[in-house]
């Protein structure tokens, strides 16, 4: 049983950056991909990007290219998502999730979510 | 604007059956598997259906999925008030900006 535990809520100023962590337990961290999905208040789900730790190569949604950095630390089984140049529209709950891409393209385990509030 | 189209809301009485549709295109639903997620208020999404019609361990057979062409459908039978949630469809989009995509979500109300 895979468990993903995320870091706590953050309040950030516009223009700053935020880094959210996602610690995995259960399963073999390097054998699956971790994605980041965000959900603005009252809105739907939006994929931001992901990483396959064993390859250490991230891929990003076009919308976030240049502003998001996704990384993984194999030694601690932790994935990170850093979003820079924050604006009010980035206020959202950010989720990490295990992505199964070899066959069905789906997210089978999710973190509890991290609320990031961007406000002056 | 979501890549996949879902109705904003559906409703039905307890014990009844409801279906939720998800419409896409040839570059996403038309050529890839569909998954469905349930999001109860204030919680993370939970996988209900994967690969069009498979249920993960622990998901009751009250939930079912199907796909035809560029559309997919989630069916829920024996509705209970505990099924009130937002439901999202998802798939892979193989267009230029390839990646996972979702529907806008459907709010299910059990009257």
């Amino acid at each position: 049983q895979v468990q993903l535990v995320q870091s706590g809520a953050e309040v950030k100023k516009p223009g700053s950056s935020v880094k959210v962590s996602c610690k995995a337990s259960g399963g073999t961290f390097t054998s699956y991909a971790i994605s980041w999905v965000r959900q603005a208040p009252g809105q739907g789900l939006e994929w931001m990007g992901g990483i396959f730790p064993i390859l250490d190569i991230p891929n990003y949604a076009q919308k976030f290219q240049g502003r998001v950095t996704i990384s993984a630390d194999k030694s601690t089984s932790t994935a990170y998502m850093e979003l820079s140049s924050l604006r009010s529209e980035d206020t959202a709950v950010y989720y990490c999730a295990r992505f199964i891409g070899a066959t069905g393209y789906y997210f089978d385990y999710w973190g509890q979510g991290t609320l990031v509030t961007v406000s002056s | 604007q979501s890549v996949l189209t879902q109705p904003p809301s559906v409703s039905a009485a307890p014990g009844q059956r409801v279906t939720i549709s998800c419409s896409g295109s040839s570059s996403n639903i038309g050529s890839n598997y569909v998954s469905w997620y349930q999001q109860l208020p204030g919680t993370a999404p939970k996988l209900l259906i994967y690969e069009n019609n498979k249920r993960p361990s622990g998901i009751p057979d009250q939930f079912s999925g199907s796909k035809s062409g560029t559309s997919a459908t989630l069916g829920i039978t024996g509705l209970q008030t505990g099924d009130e949630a937002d439901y999202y469809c998802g798939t892979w989009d193989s267009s230029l900006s390839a990646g996972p995509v979702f529907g806008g979500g459907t709010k299910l109300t059990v009257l």
Side-chain angles (χ1 to χ4, degrees):
Chain A
Q1 183 85 350
V2 173
Q3 270 199 311
L4 302 173
V5 179
Q6 299 182 223
S7 49
E10 303 260 15
V11 179
K12 292 292 182 180
K13 300 281 189 194
S16 66
S17 298
V18 67
K19 191 170 186 177
V20 181
S21 67
C22 169
K23 184 169 177 59
S25 60
T28 303
F29 183 66
T30 50
S31 68
Y32 51 80
I34 294 287
S35 272
W36 289 88
V37 176
R38 79 174 185 180
Q39 185 172 37
Q43 302 300 309
L45 305 172
E46 182 175 35
W47 179 74
M48 300 178 68
I51 190 166
F52 200 6
I54 196 169
L55 297 176
D56 213 16
I57 299 175
N59 66 319
Y60 304 123
Q62 209 163 33
K63 175 177 176 177
F64 299 99
Q65 286 273 5
R67 224 168 45 100
V68 69
T69 303
I70 294 173
S71 58
D73 183 342
K74 293 185 282 290
S75 67
T76 59
S77 299
T78 303
Y80 299 91
M81 185 284 300
E82 183 170 22
L83 188 62
S84 61
S85 303
L86 290 169
R87 34 210 190 227
S88 58
E89 311 90 86
D90 294 317
T91 293
V93 175
Y94 290 77
Y95 295 101
C96 63
R98 187 172 84 159
F99 178 63
I100 304 299
T103 53
Y105 304 116
Y106 56 92
F107 302 91
D108 61 350
Y109 293 98
W110 294 69
Q112 83 277 18
T114 297
L115 175 62
V116 175
T117 303
V118 182
S119 173
S120 54
Chain B
Q1 204 79 330
S2 300
V3 173
L4 308 178
T5 301
Q6 298 180 236
S9 63
V10 296
S11 62
Q16 295 299 301
R17 179 178 186 266
V18 72
T19 60
I20 297 173
S21 62
C22 175
S23 177
S25 69
S26 58
S27 68
N28 42 65
I29 292 179
S31 49
N32 294 295
Y33 286 116
V34 175
S35 53
W36 289 90
Y37 306 86
Q38 177 193 60
Q39 187 175 35
L40 296 168
T43 69
K46 174 184 175 183
L47 179 66
L48 281 183
I49 298 287
Y50 67 100
E51 293 180 6
N52 300 338
N53 54 20
K54 296 178 182 176
R55 283 177 286 106
S57 172
I59 300 299
D61 59 7
Q62 117 183 82
F63 298 97
S64 64
S66 64
K67 178 186 130 173
S68 178
T70 59
S71 293
T73 302
L74 173 70
I76 310 173
T77 59
L79 281 172
Q80 305 167 35
T81 55
D83 297 324
E84 282 204 344
D86 293 322
Y87 292 84
Y88 294 90
C89 58
T91 187
W92 181 270
D93 193 292
S94 308
S95 64
L96 212 56
S97 51
V101 292
F102 295 97
T106 299
K107 169 70 179 171
L108 168 63
T109 301
V110 181
L111 303 164

